[in-house]
Amino acid sequence: MEAPAPHSPAEPGSVQIVVTSPEQMRELGRRLAKLLRAGDLVMLSGELGAGKTTLTRGLGEGLGVRGAVTSPTFVIARVHPSLGDGPPLVHVDAYRLSGGLDEMEDLDLDVSLPDSVVVVEWGEGKVEELTEDRLQVVIHRAVGDTTDEVRQMTLTGVGERWATADLSFLVA
């Protein structure tokens, strides 16, 4: 993982990272997990195949949760209990959900959030009302017929929880 070229400044409270392989994406997830705690909402955005589930797999490894983290596209949400004393991981794929928070209420994320780390793929415009504090992760990749593994990522902390969080250690 490396810092992006100087011509792409990050906004305050955010960090930009270049990831060049799925293995690096998983490692980034493992490192990010060290910063996460119960009550954290992580929103993942990016094109199909950008690496959202791969990053979440690394988060699950870093959090020490049970079960293989796979895409919950068809089941919408999966809960991965902690194997230790850490929080469980709730992994949501909101891709097939067209509505906002009203449609998400059936998943009881508001009940899960205080005790879990909740990761929502495709959550923009759907889960922001769950909490004022969230970590937004945007993953950009080359689109079209390409085998390019490079991902440009922007991680932005929103709210008081993330105001003092130092995300710069993720760039190393």
Side-chain angles (χ1 to χ4, degrees):
M1 288 171 279
E2 56 193 60
H7 67 278
S8 54
E11 56 187 81
S14 71
V15 64
Q16 292 188 344
I17 301 171
V18 175
V19 175
T20 60
S21 70
E23 294 77 23
Q24 281 188 351
M25 186 68 79
R26 280 178 75 169
E27 175 58 26
L28 177 61
R30 286 189 289 270
R31 292 172 59 205
L32 178 57
K34 295 175 184 172
L35 189 61
L36 298 176
R37 62 185 186 214
D40 283 342
L41 172 64
V42 180
M43 290 177 42
L44 304 179
S45 302
E47 297 87 2
L48 285 171
K52 296 177 295 294
T53 300
T54 302
L55 179 68
T56 306
R57 190 169 294 126
L59 287 172
E61 292 168 3
L63 290 170
V65 299
R66 186 179 71 210
V69 174
T70 59
S71 178
T73 299
F74 297 104
V75 295
I76 310 297
R78 283 197 172 95
V79 177
H80 297 274
S82 176
L83 292 171
D85 58 358
L89 172 67
V90 177
H91 184 199
V92 179
D93 187 330
Y95 182 75
R96 296 185 318 143
L97 303 177
S98 58
L101 190 59
D102 291 342
E103 192 171 3
M104 298 293 287
E105 282 183 354
D106 289 340
L107 300 177
D108 288 332
L109 294 180
D110 55 335
V111 174
S112 301
L113 186 58
D115 301 319
S116 308
V117 170
V118 177
V119 176
V120 182
E121 298 184 26
W122 305 97
E124 284 185 335
K126 299 174 183 173
V127 297
E128 289 90 340
E129 295 176 26
L130 283 174
T131 178
E132 294 178 8
D133 301 311
R134 63 189 170 278
L135 181 63
Q136 293 180 206
V137 179
V138 179
I139 307 170
H140 294 285
R141 69 169 183 90
V143 294
D145 188 18
T146 180
T147 59
D148 188 356
E149 295 289 340
V150 175
R151 305 296 191 255
Q152 305 280 339
M153 301 179 61
T154 303
L155 289 78
T156 305
V158 176
E160 188 177 323
R161 154 72 173 106
W162 297 99
T164 59
D166 182 13
L167 300 173
S168 65
F169 81 96
L170 297 169
V171 178

